[in-house]
Amino acid sequence: MPFGKQKPRKFDRNLIVIGAGAGGLVAAYIAAAVKAKVTLIEKYKMGGDCLNSGCVPSKALIRSARFLAQVRRAKEFGFDSVTVEFDFARIMQRVQRVIEQVEPHDSIERYTSLGVEVIEGEASVRSPFEVEVNGRVLTTRNIIIATGARPFVPEIPGLDKLDYLTSDTVWQLRTLPKRLLVLGGGPIGCELAQSFACFGVDSGSKVILLQRGTRLMNREDEDVSALIAEQFETEGIELRLKHIAKAFIKKDGRKYLIAEHEGQSVEIEFDQLLLALGRSANVSGFGLEELGVKLSSGKTIEVNEFLQTNYPNIYACGDVAGPYQFTHTAAHQAWYASVNALFRPFKKFRVDYSVIPFASFTDPEVARVGINEQEAKAQGIAYEVTHYRLDDLDRAIADGQTQGFIKVLTLPGKDKILGATIVGEHAGDLIAEFVTAMRYGLGLNKILATIHIYPTWMEANKFAAGNWKKAHAPQKLLQWVARFHRWRRG
Ligand SMILES: Cc1cc2nc3c(=O)[nH]c(=O)nc-3n(C[C@H](O)[C@H](O)[C@H](O)COP(=O)(O)OP(=O)(O)OC[C@H]3O[C@@H](n4cnc5c(N)ncnc54)[C@H](O)[C@@H]3O)c2cc1C
Protein backbone atom coordinates (compact mmCIF):
# COMPACT_ATOMS: atom_id res chain seq x y z
CA MET A 1 0.00 0.00 0.00
CA PRO A 2 1.48 3.41 -0.88
CA PHE A 3 0.14 5.00 2.33
CA GLY A 4 1.59 2.62 4.94
CA LYS A 5 1.52 4.07 8.42
CA GLN A 6 -0.80 7.00 7.66
CA LYS A 7 -3.73 4.59 8.01
CA PRO A 8 -5.82 5.42 11.09
CA ARG A 9 -7.10 2.74 13.47
CA LYS A 10 -10.71 3.90 13.23
CA PHE A 11 -12.74 5.74 10.62
CA ASP A 12 -15.76 8.03 10.98
CA ARG A 13 -17.15 6.73 7.72
CA ASN A 14 -16.96 3.78 5.35
CA LEU A 15 -17.06 6.01 2.30
CA ILE A 16 -16.80 9.65 1.27
CA VAL A 17 -17.97 10.49 -2.24
CA ILE A 18 -16.77 13.77 -3.74
CA GLY A 19 -19.16 15.24 -6.29
CA ALA A 20 -22.93 14.76 -6.50
CA GLY A 21 -23.32 14.30 -10.26
CA ALA A 22 -24.50 11.15 -11.99
CA GLY A 23 -21.51 9.13 -10.73
CA GLY A 24 -21.38 10.44 -7.16
CA LEU A 25 -25.12 10.19 -6.57
CA VAL A 26 -25.26 6.55 -7.63
CA ALA A 27 -22.11 5.66 -5.68
CA ALA A 28 -23.59 7.20 -2.50
CA TYR A 29 -26.99 5.60 -3.13
CA ILE A 30 -25.46 2.12 -3.47
CA ALA A 31 -23.40 2.61 -0.30
CA ALA A 32 -26.46 3.69 1.70
CA ALA A 33 -28.49 0.80 0.26
CA VAL A 34 -25.94 -1.69 1.60
CA LYS A 35 -26.01 0.07 5.00
CA ALA A 36 -22.58 1.70 4.88
CA LYS A 37 -21.98 5.07 6.54
CA VAL A 38 -21.53 7.36 3.55
CA THR A 39 -21.01 11.09 3.11
CA LEU A 40 -21.57 12.84 -0.21
CA ILE A 41 -19.92 16.23 -0.69
CA GLU A 42 -21.03 18.69 -3.38
CA LYS A 43 -19.56 22.14 -3.91
CA TYR A 44 -22.06 23.56 -6.38
CA LYS A 45 -25.38 21.96 -7.29
CA MET A 46 -26.75 18.50 -6.59
CA GLY A 47 -27.19 16.60 -9.86
CA GLY A 48 -23.96 17.90 -11.40
CA ASP A 49 -23.66 18.55 -15.11
CA CYS A 50 -26.36 16.23 -16.31
CA LEU A 51 -29.13 17.99 -14.42
CA ASN A 52 -27.87 21.55 -14.41
CA SER A 53 -26.00 22.12 -17.64
CA GLY A 54 -25.97 18.88 -19.64
CA CYS A 55 -28.49 16.23 -20.55
CA VAL A 56 -31.59 17.74 -18.95
CA PRO A 57 -31.41 21.33 -20.25
CA SER A 58 -30.18 20.21 -23.66
CA LYS A 59 -33.03 17.73 -24.07
CA ALA A 60 -35.56 20.33 -22.90
CA LEU A 61 -34.22 22.79 -25.47
CA ILE A 62 -34.27 20.14 -28.18
CA ARG A 63 -37.92 19.40 -27.36
CA SER A 64 -38.91 23.01 -28.03
CA ALA A 65 -36.84 23.08 -31.22
CA ARG A 66 -38.41 19.84 -32.46
CA PHE A 67 -41.87 21.15 -31.75
CA LEU A 68 -41.13 24.22 -33.83
CA ALA A 69 -39.62 22.14 -36.63
CA GLN A 70 -42.76 19.99 -36.70
CA VAL A 71 -45.08 22.99 -36.77
CA ARG A 72 -43.19 24.34 -39.76
CA ARG A 73 -44.08 21.13 -41.59
CA ALA A 74 -47.82 21.69 -40.96
CA LYS A 75 -48.75 21.60 -44.67
CA GLU A 76 -47.24 18.15 -45.08
CA PHE A 77 -49.59 16.91 -42.37
CA GLY A 78 -52.71 18.38 -43.95
CA PHE A 79 -52.99 21.76 -42.25
CA ASP A 80 -53.49 24.90 -44.34
CA SER A 81 -51.41 27.13 -42.16
CA VAL A 82 -50.12 27.29 -38.63
CA THR A 83 -48.18 30.18 -37.21
CA VAL A 84 -46.05 30.16 -34.11
CA GLU A 85 -44.86 33.27 -32.41
CA PHE A 86 -42.36 32.87 -29.68
CA ASP A 87 -40.03 34.66 -27.38
CA PHE A 88 -36.71 32.84 -27.03
CA ALA A 89 -36.50 33.94 -23.38
CA ARG A 90 -39.61 31.93 -22.58
CA ILE A 91 -38.16 28.83 -24.22
CA MET A 92 -35.09 29.20 -22.01
CA GLN A 93 -37.36 29.73 -19.00
CA ARG A 94 -39.05 26.43 -19.78
CA VAL A 95 -35.62 24.79 -19.83
CA GLN A 96 -35.12 26.06 -16.27
CA ARG A 97 -38.56 24.81 -15.25
CA VAL A 98 -37.69 21.34 -16.54
CA ILE A 99 -34.50 21.38 -14.45
CA GLU A 100 -36.58 22.39 -11.41
CA GLN A 101 -39.00 19.54 -12.06
CA VAL A 102 -36.22 16.96 -12.22
CA GLU A 103 -34.27 18.48 -9.27
CA PRO A 104 -36.11 16.57 -6.52
CA HIS A 105 -34.70 13.28 -7.91
CA ASP A 106 -31.18 14.46 -7.04
CA SER A 107 -31.98 16.63 -4.01
CA ILE A 108 -30.35 16.71 -0.59
CA GLU A 109 -33.72 15.79 0.92
CA ARG A 110 -34.04 12.67 -1.22
CA TYR A 111 -30.50 11.48 -0.58
CA THR A 112 -30.75 12.22 3.15
CA SER A 113 -33.93 10.17 3.28
CA LEU A 114 -32.07 7.33 1.56
CA GLY A 115 -29.49 7.34 4.35
CA VAL A 116 -26.74 9.45 2.75
CA GLU A 117 -25.16 12.28 4.74
CA VAL A 118 -24.91 15.19 2.30
CA ILE A 119 -22.55 18.08 2.92
CA GLU A 120 -22.55 21.23 0.81
CA GLY A 121 -19.00 22.49 0.42
CA GLU A 122 -15.77 22.04 -1.50
CA ALA A 123 -13.97 18.85 -0.60
CA SER A 124 -10.25 18.53 -0.45
CA VAL A 125 -8.42 15.23 -0.09
CA ARG A 126 -5.88 15.63 2.73
CA SER A 127 -4.64 12.05 2.91
CA PRO A 128 -5.93 8.73 1.55
CA PHE A 129 -8.15 8.57 4.64
CA GLU A 130 -9.02 12.22 5.26
CA VAL A 131 -11.21 14.67 3.43
CA GLU A 132 -11.54 18.28 4.47
CA VAL A 133 -14.74 20.19 3.92
CA ASN A 134 -15.89 23.51 5.40
CA GLY A 135 -12.88 23.49 7.75
CA ARG A 136 -13.67 20.00 9.14
CA VAL A 137 -11.53 16.94 8.55
CA LEU A 138 -13.51 13.72 8.12
CA THR A 139 -11.89 10.31 8.27
CA THR A 140 -12.96 7.55 5.94
CA ARG A 141 -11.94 4.04 4.96
CA ASN A 142 -12.57 4.79 1.26
CA ILE A 143 -12.94 7.76 -1.06
CA ILE A 144 -14.68 7.93 -4.44
CA ILE A 145 -13.72 10.83 -6.68
CA ALA A 146 -16.66 11.77 -8.89
CA THR A 147 -15.77 15.38 -9.65
CA GLY A 148 -16.80 15.27 -13.32
CA ALA A 149 -15.47 17.44 -16.13
CA ARG A 150 -15.80 20.98 -17.46
CA PRO A 151 -15.90 22.40 -21.00
CA PHE A 152 -12.49 22.44 -22.65
CA VAL A 153 -11.37 25.96 -23.47
CA PRO A 154 -8.57 26.02 -26.08
CA GLU A 155 -5.72 28.49 -26.14
CA ILE A 156 -6.60 30.54 -29.19
CA PRO A 157 -5.29 34.11 -29.41
CA GLY A 158 -8.03 36.65 -28.74
CA LEU A 159 -10.40 34.16 -27.12
CA ASP A 160 -9.81 35.64 -23.67
CA LYS A 161 -11.13 39.00 -24.94
CA LEU A 162 -14.45 37.48 -25.93
CA ASP A 163 -17.48 36.84 -23.82
CA TYR A 164 -17.79 33.28 -25.15
CA LEU A 165 -20.38 30.68 -24.16
CA THR A 166 -19.87 27.05 -23.16
CA SER A 167 -22.32 24.30 -22.22
CA ASP A 168 -22.05 25.70 -18.67
CA THR A 169 -23.21 29.21 -19.56
CA VAL A 170 -25.33 28.87 -22.69
CA TRP A 171 -28.41 28.25 -20.51
CA GLN A 172 -28.30 31.86 -19.29
CA LEU A 173 -28.93 33.22 -22.81
CA ARG A 174 -32.27 34.97 -23.18
CA THR A 175 -31.83 36.49 -26.65
CA LEU A 176 -31.06 34.53 -29.75
CA PRO A 177 -27.64 35.52 -31.14
CA LYS A 178 -27.81 36.95 -34.68
CA ARG A 179 -24.88 34.83 -35.84
CA LEU A 180 -23.90 32.03 -33.48
CA LEU A 181 -20.56 30.44 -34.21
CA VAL A 182 -20.34 26.93 -32.73
CA LEU A 183 -16.83 25.50 -32.46
CA GLY A 184 -16.93 21.70 -32.47
CA GLY A 185 -18.95 19.20 -34.47
CA GLY A 186 -19.26 16.47 -31.84
CA PRO A 187 -22.54 15.48 -30.17
CA ILE A 188 -22.83 18.57 -27.92
CA GLY A 189 -21.94 21.01 -30.72
CA CYS A 190 -24.34 19.31 -33.13
CA GLU A 191 -27.26 19.14 -30.68
CA LEU A 192 -26.95 22.80 -29.70
CA ALA A 193 -26.21 24.07 -33.22
CA GLN A 194 -29.31 22.38 -34.61
CA SER A 195 -31.58 23.71 -31.86
CA PHE A 196 -30.35 27.29 -32.19
CA ALA A 197 -30.61 27.11 -35.98
CA CYS A 198 -34.21 25.99 -35.68
CA PHE A 199 -35.19 28.92 -33.44
CA GLY A 200 -33.45 31.35 -35.77
CA VAL A 201 -35.25 30.48 -39.02
CA ASP A 202 -37.91 33.21 -38.90
CA SER A 203 -35.87 35.88 -37.17
CA GLY A 204 -32.97 35.52 -39.59
CA SER A 205 -30.58 34.31 -36.88
CA LYS A 206 -27.96 31.99 -38.20
CA VAL A 207 -25.71 29.23 -36.96
CA ILE A 208 -22.24 28.56 -38.28
CA LEU A 209 -20.82 25.20 -37.22
CA LEU A 210 -17.08 24.91 -37.48
CA GLN A 211 -15.27 21.60 -37.38
CA ARG A 212 -11.55 20.95 -37.68
CA GLY A 213 -11.95 17.52 -39.27
CA THR A 214 -13.52 16.50 -42.54
CA ARG A 215 -16.89 15.55 -41.06
CA LEU A 216 -19.32 15.96 -38.16
CA MET A 217 -19.58 13.32 -35.41
CA ASN A 218 -16.36 11.74 -36.57
CA ARG A 219 -16.60 8.80 -34.16
CA GLU A 220 -19.51 7.57 -36.28
CA ASP A 221 -19.28 6.00 -39.72
CA GLU A 222 -19.11 8.24 -42.77
CA ASP A 223 -22.67 7.48 -43.89
CA VAL A 224 -23.93 8.70 -40.50
CA SER A 225 -21.93 11.93 -40.65
CA ALA A 226 -23.06 12.51 -44.24
CA LEU A 227 -26.74 12.14 -43.37
CA ILE A 228 -26.47 14.55 -40.43
CA ALA A 229 -24.47 17.06 -42.48
CA GLU A 230 -27.06 16.93 -45.26
CA GLN A 231 -29.84 17.52 -42.75
CA PHE A 232 -27.99 20.45 -41.16
CA GLU A 233 -27.43 22.07 -44.54
CA THR A 234 -31.12 21.70 -45.41
CA GLU A 235 -31.90 23.47 -42.17
CA GLY A 236 -29.67 26.40 -43.09
CA ILE A 237 -26.72 25.68 -40.81
CA GLU A 238 -23.53 26.97 -42.39
CA LEU A 239 -21.11 24.06 -42.13
CA ARG A 240 -17.44 24.92 -42.10
CA LEU A 241 -15.57 21.63 -42.21
CA LYS A 242 -11.78 21.37 -42.37
CA HIS A 243 -11.47 24.76 -40.65
CA ILE A 244 -8.86 25.25 -37.95
CA ALA A 245 -9.54 28.14 -35.58
CA LYS A 246 -6.41 30.32 -35.42
CA ALA A 247 -7.38 33.61 -33.76
CA PHE A 248 -10.25 35.84 -32.78
CA ILE A 249 -10.14 39.49 -33.68
CA LYS A 250 -12.38 42.53 -33.37
CA LYS A 251 -12.63 45.16 -36.13
CA ASP A 252 -14.89 48.22 -35.78
CA GLY A 253 -16.71 46.53 -32.94
CA ARG A 254 -17.38 43.37 -35.03
CA LYS A 255 -16.10 39.92 -34.13
CA TYR A 256 -14.27 37.60 -36.51
CA LEU A 257 -12.68 34.20 -36.33
CA ILE A 258 -9.55 33.75 -38.40
CA ALA A 259 -9.46 30.14 -39.48
CA GLU A 260 -7.23 28.10 -41.72
CA HIS A 261 -9.03 26.20 -44.43
CA GLU A 262 -7.05 24.02 -46.84
CA GLY A 263 -3.99 26.21 -46.45
CA GLN A 264 -5.92 29.49 -46.90
CA SER A 265 -6.76 32.00 -44.20
CA VAL A 266 -10.48 32.80 -43.95
CA GLU A 267 -12.39 35.31 -41.82
CA ILE A 268 -15.74 34.32 -40.36
CA GLU A 269 -17.87 37.03 -38.80
CA PHE A 270 -20.05 36.16 -35.83
CA ASP A 271 -21.89 37.77 -32.93
CA GLN A 272 -21.72 35.08 -30.28
CA LEU A 273 -19.34 32.16 -29.85
CA LEU A 274 -20.18 28.78 -28.33
CA LEU A 275 -17.33 26.42 -27.49
CA ALA A 276 -18.13 22.71 -27.77
CA LEU A 277 -14.68 21.22 -28.11
CA GLY A 278 -14.84 18.43 -25.58
CA ARG A 279 -14.54 18.27 -21.83
CA SER A 280 -11.59 18.29 -19.43
CA ALA A 281 -11.68 16.16 -16.28
CA ASN A 282 -11.71 18.00 -12.92
CA VAL A 283 -8.54 16.58 -11.43
CA SER A 284 -6.81 19.53 -9.82
CA GLY A 285 -7.16 21.92 -6.91
CA PHE A 286 -8.52 19.49 -4.35
CA GLY A 287 -5.53 17.54 -3.13
CA LEU A 288 -4.94 14.89 -5.79
CA GLU A 289 -1.68 16.44 -7.06
CA GLU A 290 -0.25 16.63 -3.52
CA LEU A 291 -1.14 12.99 -2.96
CA GLY A 292 0.33 11.93 -6.30
CA VAL A 293 -2.86 10.38 -7.66
CA LYS A 294 -1.86 9.23 -11.15
CA LEU A 295 -3.44 10.65 -14.29
CA SER A 296 -3.86 9.00 -17.68
CA SER A 297 -2.48 10.40 -20.94
CA GLY A 298 -5.92 11.94 -21.52
CA LYS A 299 -5.63 13.84 -18.19
CA THR A 300 -8.35 11.81 -16.51
CA ILE A 301 -7.73 9.93 -13.26
CA GLU A 302 -6.03 6.64 -14.04
CA VAL A 303 -8.07 3.74 -12.71
CA ASN A 304 -7.70 -0.01 -12.96
CA GLU A 305 -10.43 -2.47 -13.93
CA PHE A 306 -11.84 -2.22 -10.40
CA LEU A 307 -11.91 1.60 -10.68
CA GLN A 308 -9.12 1.97 -8.11
CA THR A 309 -6.56 4.73 -8.48
CA ASN A 310 -2.93 4.13 -7.54
CA TYR A 311 -4.25 4.33 -3.94
CA PRO A 312 -6.22 1.11 -3.40
CA ASN A 313 -8.85 2.82 -1.23
CA ILE A 314 -9.35 5.82 -3.54
CA TYR A 315 -11.66 5.10 -6.46
CA ALA A 316 -12.89 7.27 -9.32
CA CYS A 317 -15.92 7.12 -11.59
CA GLY A 318 -17.72 9.18 -14.22
CA ASP A 319 -16.26 11.87 -16.47
CA VAL A 320 -13.25 12.37 -14.19
CA ALA A 321 -12.18 8.78 -14.84
CA GLY A 322 -13.40 8.29 -18.43
CA PRO A 323 -13.04 6.72 -20.91
CA TYR A 324 -16.72 7.48 -21.57
CA GLN A 325 -18.47 10.75 -20.80
CA PHE A 326 -22.11 9.81 -20.37
CA THR A 327 -24.52 9.86 -17.48
CA HIS A 328 -25.32 6.17 -17.82
CA THR A 329 -21.65 5.13 -17.93
CA ALA A 330 -20.93 7.29 -14.86
CA ALA A 331 -23.76 5.50 -13.05
CA HIS A 332 -22.55 2.11 -14.31
CA GLN A 333 -19.01 2.74 -13.05
CA ALA A 334 -20.36 4.13 -9.77
CA TRP A 335 -21.86 0.75 -8.86
CA TYR A 336 -18.49 -0.96 -9.32
CA ALA A 337 -16.58 1.77 -7.49
CA SER A 338 -18.95 1.73 -4.54
CA VAL A 339 -19.26 -2.05 -4.19
CA ASN A 340 -15.53 -2.62 -4.71
CA ALA A 341 -14.66 0.07 -2.15
CA LEU A 342 -17.05 -1.24 0.48
CA PHE A 343 -16.36 -4.96 0.13
CA ARG A 344 -12.63 -4.96 -0.63
CA PRO A 345 -10.80 -7.31 -0.07
CA PHE A 346 -13.62 -9.87 0.27
CA LYS A 347 -15.20 -9.27 -3.11
CA LYS A 348 -14.04 -7.43 -6.24
CA PHE A 349 -15.91 -6.83 -9.49
CA ARG A 350 -14.21 -6.02 -12.77
CA VAL A 351 -16.00 -3.14 -14.54
CA ASP A 352 -17.80 -4.45 -17.60
CA TYR A 353 -17.51 -2.19 -20.65
CA SER A 354 -18.53 -4.87 -23.13
CA VAL A 355 -21.85 -3.30 -24.13
CA ILE A 356 -21.92 0.50 -24.00
CA PRO A 357 -24.75 2.34 -25.75
CA PHE A 358 -24.90 6.07 -26.43
CA ALA A 359 -26.88 8.55 -28.48
CA SER A 360 -26.72 12.05 -29.90
CA PHE A 361 -30.09 13.73 -29.79
CA THR A 362 -29.91 15.51 -33.11
CA ASP A 363 -32.85 15.31 -35.48
CA PRO A 364 -32.59 12.57 -36.67
CA GLU A 365 -31.07 10.96 -33.59
CA VAL A 366 -27.91 8.88 -33.84
CA ALA A 367 -27.58 5.94 -31.48
CA ARG A 368 -25.05 3.19 -31.24
CA VAL A 369 -24.06 0.15 -29.27
CA GLY A 370 -20.89 -1.86 -29.81
CA ILE A 371 -18.59 -1.21 -32.72
CA ASN A 372 -19.24 0.47 -36.06
CA GLU A 373 -17.53 -0.15 -39.38
CA GLN A 374 -14.67 2.27 -38.85
CA GLU A 375 -13.87 0.73 -35.46
CA ALA A 376 -14.12 -2.81 -36.83
CA LYS A 377 -11.66 -1.89 -39.59
CA ALA A 378 -9.30 -0.12 -37.18
CA GLN A 379 -9.31 -3.12 -34.83
CA GLY A 380 -9.02 -5.66 -37.66
CA ILE A 381 -12.32 -7.33 -36.74
CA ALA A 382 -13.98 -9.26 -39.57
CA TYR A 383 -17.64 -8.36 -39.93
CA GLU A 384 -20.70 -8.48 -42.13
CA VAL A 385 -23.00 -5.52 -42.41
CA THR A 386 -26.79 -5.53 -42.74
CA HIS A 387 -28.81 -2.41 -43.58
CA TYR A 388 -32.42 -1.51 -43.15
CA ARG A 389 -33.74 1.85 -44.40
CA LEU A 390 -36.45 3.55 -42.39
CA ASP A 391 -38.26 4.73 -45.53
CA ASP A 392 -39.47 1.12 -45.80
CA LEU A 393 -41.09 1.15 -42.33
CA ASP A 394 -44.88 1.62 -42.32
CA ARG A 395 -44.85 3.59 -39.08
CA ALA A 396 -42.09 5.90 -40.28
CA ILE A 397 -44.12 6.56 -43.45
CA ALA A 398 -47.27 7.30 -41.42
CA ASP A 399 -45.31 9.60 -39.13
CA GLY A 400 -43.62 11.36 -42.05
CA GLN A 401 -40.17 10.62 -40.57
CA THR A 402 -38.60 8.28 -43.10
CA GLN A 403 -35.08 9.58 -42.88
CA GLY A 404 -32.43 7.23 -41.55
CA PHE A 405 -31.35 3.64 -41.31
CA ILE A 406 -30.29 0.77 -39.12
CA LYS A 407 -26.94 -0.79 -39.66
CA VAL A 408 -25.98 -3.97 -37.85
CA LEU A 409 -22.53 -5.52 -37.78
CA THR A 410 -22.39 -9.28 -37.22
CA LEU A 411 -19.71 -11.95 -37.15
CA PRO A 412 -19.28 -13.34 -40.70
CA GLY A 413 -21.74 -16.19 -41.25
CA LYS A 414 -23.20 -15.86 -37.74
CA ASP A 415 -26.05 -13.83 -36.25
CA LYS A 416 -23.92 -12.62 -33.31
CA ILE A 417 -24.18 -8.85 -33.07
CA LEU A 418 -20.93 -6.88 -32.91
CA GLY A 419 -22.59 -3.49 -32.99
CA ALA A 420 -25.58 -1.55 -34.22
CA THR A 421 -26.00 2.03 -35.35
CA ILE A 422 -29.40 3.64 -35.75
CA VAL A 423 -29.98 7.00 -37.38
CA GLY A 424 -33.57 8.16 -37.23
CA GLU A 425 -36.51 9.21 -35.13
CA HIS A 426 -36.39 7.56 -31.66
CA ALA A 427 -32.98 6.00 -32.39
CA GLY A 428 -31.97 6.49 -28.74
CA ASP A 429 -34.90 4.33 -27.69
CA LEU A 430 -34.80 1.79 -30.52
CA ILE A 431 -31.18 0.88 -29.81
CA ALA A 432 -32.24 -0.65 -26.47
CA GLU A 433 -33.26 -3.90 -28.15
CA PHE A 434 -29.78 -4.35 -29.59
CA VAL A 435 -28.28 -3.43 -26.21
CA THR A 436 -30.26 -6.20 -24.49
CA ALA A 437 -29.46 -8.62 -27.29
CA MET A 438 -25.72 -7.94 -27.06
CA ARG A 439 -25.73 -7.94 -23.25
CA TYR A 440 -27.35 -11.37 -23.09
CA GLY A 441 -25.79 -12.91 -26.17
CA LEU A 442 -28.98 -12.98 -28.25
CA GLY A 443 -28.39 -12.96 -31.99
CA LEU A 444 -30.41 -11.50 -34.86
CA ASN A 445 -32.38 -14.76 -35.19
CA LYS A 446 -33.80 -14.13 -31.71
CA ILE A 447 -34.82 -10.56 -32.59
CA LEU A 448 -36.45 -11.86 -35.78
CA ALA A 449 -38.33 -14.54 -33.86
CA THR A 450 -39.75 -12.00 -31.37
CA ILE A 451 -43.19 -10.50 -31.97
CA HIS A 452 -43.03 -6.73 -32.38
CA ILE A 453 -46.23 -4.67 -32.28
CA TYR A 454 -47.46 -3.41 -35.64
CA PRO A 455 -47.08 -0.58 -36.59
CA THR A 456 -44.27 0.59 -34.35
CA TRP A 457 -40.78 1.96 -34.76
CA MET A 458 -39.46 -1.11 -32.96
CA GLU A 459 -40.42 -3.22 -35.96
CA ALA A 460 -37.46 -1.65 -37.73
CA ASN A 461 -35.15 -3.74 -35.54
CA LYS A 462 -36.97 -6.91 -36.55
CA PHE A 463 -36.83 -5.95 -40.24
CA ALA A 464 -33.09 -5.33 -39.96
CA ALA A 465 -32.81 -8.84 -38.50
CA GLY A 466 -35.03 -10.04 -41.37
CA ASN A 467 -32.66 -8.55 -43.92
CA TRP A 468 -29.80 -10.44 -42.32
CA LYS A 469 -31.84 -13.64 -42.48
CA LYS A 470 -32.67 -13.15 -46.18
CA ALA A 471 -29.00 -12.74 -46.95
CA HIS A 472 -28.30 -15.98 -45.10
CA ALA A 473 -31.23 -18.03 -46.39
CA PRO A 474 -30.21 -21.70 -46.77
CA GLN A 475 -30.19 -21.79 -50.60
CA LYS A 476 -29.68 -25.55 -50.92
CA LEU A 477 -32.54 -26.30 -48.54
CA LEU A 478 -34.80 -23.83 -50.35
CA GLN A 479 -34.05 -25.49 -53.71
CA TRP A 480 -34.91 -28.80 -52.14
CA VAL A 481 -38.24 -27.58 -50.68
CA ALA A 482 -39.12 -25.97 -54.02
CA ARG A 483 -38.73 -29.43 -55.57
CA PHE A 484 -40.79 -30.90 -52.73
CA HIS A 485 -43.67 -28.47 -53.42
CA ARG A 486 -43.48 -29.15 -57.16
CA TRP A 487 -43.78 -32.83 -56.41
CA ARG A 488 -46.79 -32.20 -54.10
CA ARG A 489 -48.55 -30.23 -56.87
CA GLY A 490 -48.32 -33.40 -58.94
C1 LIG B 1 -24.61 19.88 -23.08
C2 LIG B 1 -24.41 18.48 -22.58
C3 LIG B 1 -25.31 17.50 -22.94
C4 LIG B 1 -25.16 16.21 -22.48
N1 LIG B 1 -26.06 15.27 -22.85
C5 LIG B 1 -25.93 14.00 -22.42
C6 LIG B 1 -26.89 13.02 -22.76
O1 LIG B 1 -27.87 13.30 -23.46
N2 LIG B 1 -26.72 11.76 -22.28
C7 LIG B 1 -25.66 11.41 -21.50
O2 LIG B 1 -25.55 10.26 -21.10
N3 LIG B 1 -24.72 12.33 -21.16
C8 LIG B 1 -24.83 13.61 -21.60
N4 LIG B 1 -23.91 14.55 -21.22
C9 LIG B 1 -22.77 14.13 -20.39
C10 LIG B 1 -23.17 14.01 -18.92
O3 LIG B 1 -23.72 15.22 -18.49
C11 LIG B 1 -21.95 13.64 -18.08
O4 LIG B 1 -21.33 12.51 -18.63
C12 LIG B 1 -22.32 13.34 -16.64
O5 LIG B 1 -22.91 14.47 -16.06
C13 LIG B 1 -21.07 12.94 -15.85
O6 LIG B 1 -21.39 12.76 -14.51
P1 LIG B 1 -20.26 12.85 -13.38
O7 LIG B 1 -20.91 12.43 -12.09
O8 LIG B 1 -19.04 12.17 -13.80
O9 LIG B 1 -19.86 14.39 -13.29
P2 LIG B 1 -20.74 15.72 -13.01
O10 LIG B 1 -22.15 15.53 -13.36
O11 LIG B 1 -19.99 16.81 -13.68
O12 LIG B 1 -20.65 15.89 -11.45
C14 LIG B 1 -19.48 16.25 -10.79
C15 LIG B 1 -19.85 17.04 -9.56
O13 LIG B 1 -18.71 17.17 -8.72
C16 LIG B 1 -18.74 18.44 -8.11
N5 LIG B 1 -17.38 18.73 -7.63
C17 LIG B 1 -16.26 18.89 -8.36
N6 LIG B 1 -15.20 19.09 -7.57
C18 LIG B 1 -15.65 19.07 -6.28
C19 LIG B 1 -15.05 19.21 -5.01
N7 LIG B 1 -13.75 19.42 -4.88
N8 LIG B 1 -15.83 19.14 -3.91
C20 LIG B 1 -17.17 18.91 -4.02
N9 LIG B 1 -17.79 18.76 -5.21
C21 LIG B 1 -17.05 18.83 -6.32
C22 LIG B 1 -19.23 19.35 -9.22
O14 LIG B 1 -19.76 20.55 -8.71
C23 LIG B 1 -20.29 18.47 -9.89
O15 LIG B 1 -21.57 18.70 -9.34
C24 LIG B 1 -24.05 15.87 -21.65
C25 LIG B 1 -23.13 16.86 -21.26
C26 LIG B 1 -23.31 18.15 -21.72
C27 LIG B 1 -22.33 19.19 -21.29
Side-chain angles (χ1 to χ4, degrees), residues 54-350:
C55 332
V56 174
S58 60
K59 268 75 254 179
L61 188 74
I62 286 169
R63 180 68 185 99
S64 294
R66 288 229 180 138
F67 176 79
L68 189 57
Q70 290 282 310
V71 169
R72 290 207 181 101
R73 294 175 55 196
K75 277 212 171 114
E76 259 181 69
F77 292 93
F79 300 93
D80 291 337
S81 75
V82 180
T83 51
V84 182
E85 284 170 22
F86 70 95
D87 175 354
F88 181 67
R90 278 206 288 280
I91 285 167
M92 294 305 259
Q93 282 156 10
R94 173 183 178 268
V95 169
Q96 291 306 317
R97 284 202 303 280
V98 171
I99 294 176
E100 282 160 25
Q101 268 176 281
V102 179
E103 245 164 22
H105 301 167
D106 297 350
S107 66
I108 296 182
E109 295 69 31
R110 171 156 187 250
Y111 276 78
T112 308
S113 76
L114 290 167
V116 177
E117 178 193 34
V118 182
I119 299 179
E120 291 174 276
E122 181 159 9
S124 190
V125 184
R126 288 278 166 251
S127 82
F129 304 101
E130 291 167 313
V131 174
E132 187 179 328
V133 60
N134 304 333
R136 282 165 68 202
V137 176
L138 317 174
T139 63
T140 179
R141 189 174 256 282
N142 301 286
I143 299 172
I144 294 181
I145 314 284
T147 49
R150 62 188 184 286
F152 170 68
V153 178
E155 282 186 20
I156 301 174
L159 181 61
D160 53 342
K161 310 221 170 46
L162 289 176
D163 197 10
Y164 58 84
L165 299 167
T166 66
S167 60
D168 279 354
T169 53
V170 68
W171 313 110
Q172 287 146 24
L173 266 189
R174 291 296 176 269
T175 359
L176 208 54
K178 249 321 265 139
R179 271 161 307 188
L180 177 68
L181 173 63
V182 180
L183 283 200
I188 295 177
C190 285
E191 286 184 7
L192 292 173
Q194 193 180 29
S195 297
F196 277 92
C198 180
F199 296 125
V201 169
D202 298 319
S203 62
S205 291
K206 191 172 167 52
V207 172
I208 307 153
L209 179 54
L210 190 128
Q211 165 82 325
R212 190 189 178 98
T214 52
R215 56 195 180 88
L216 300 174
M217 294 191 189
N218 55 18
R219 290 183 55 197
E220 301 310 321
D221 284 339
E222 273 185 36
D223 48 357
V224 175
S225 301
L227 196 153
I228 296 297
E230 197 187 310
Q231 176 68 20
F232 279 16
E233 278 174 335
T234 316
E235 292 172 358
I237 298 175
E238 185 181 324
L239 281 187
R240 297 282 196 142
L241 302 175
K242 295 192 271 177
H243 279 68
I244 305 167
K246 289 288 178 189
F248 293 96
I249 56 164
K250 280 187 187 170
K251 282 193 280 187
D252 307 323
R254 299 164 107 171
K255 298 171 200 164
Y256 298 87
L257 166 70
I258 312 288
E260 188 192 305
H261 174 57
E262 297 180 332
Q264 305 285 316
S265 177
V266 286
E267 274 188 12
I268 301 165
E269 192 178 354
F270 64 93
D271 297 294
Q272 185 68 261
L273 172 68
L274 172 63
L275 299 178
L277 294 164
R279 300 175 55 73
S280 315
N282 293 324
V283 292
S284 57
F286 59 100
L288 301 188
E289 302 99 317
E290 292 78 356
L291 226 53
V293 170
K294 279 196 189 151
L295 301 186
S296 69
S297 55
K299 300 266 184 316
T300 54
I301 296 180
E302 191 174 290
V303 287
N304 64 15
E305 56 206 346
F306 304 105
L307 295 168
Q308 282 167 306
T309 64
N310 51 319
Y311 284 88
N313 73 322
I314 303 183
Y315 293 72
C317 65
D319 285 7
V320 74
Y324 307 100
Q325 289 190 325
F326 305 111
T327 290
H328 46 279
T329 46
H332 179 70
Q333 289 179 324
W335 184 90
Y336 289 90
S338 199
V339 170
N340 285 341
L342 294 168
F343 296 102
R344 191 190 75 253
F346 309 107
K347 196 89 191 127
K348 290 211 295 194
F349 295 91
R350 222 170 243 117

Side-chain angles (χ1 to χ4, degrees), residues 386-388 406 408 415 417 434 443-449 452 459-472:
T386 303
H387 289 97
Y388 175 73
I406 296 183
V408 190
D415 74 336
I417 304 164
F434 290 105
L444 288 179
N445 280 318
K446 289 280 193 295
I447 292 181
L448 184 61
H452 291 62
E459 276 190 307
N461 294 343
K462 184 180 165 99
F463 296 147
N467 281 355
W468 176 87
K469 190 74 181 174
K470 266 182 243 157
H472 294 84

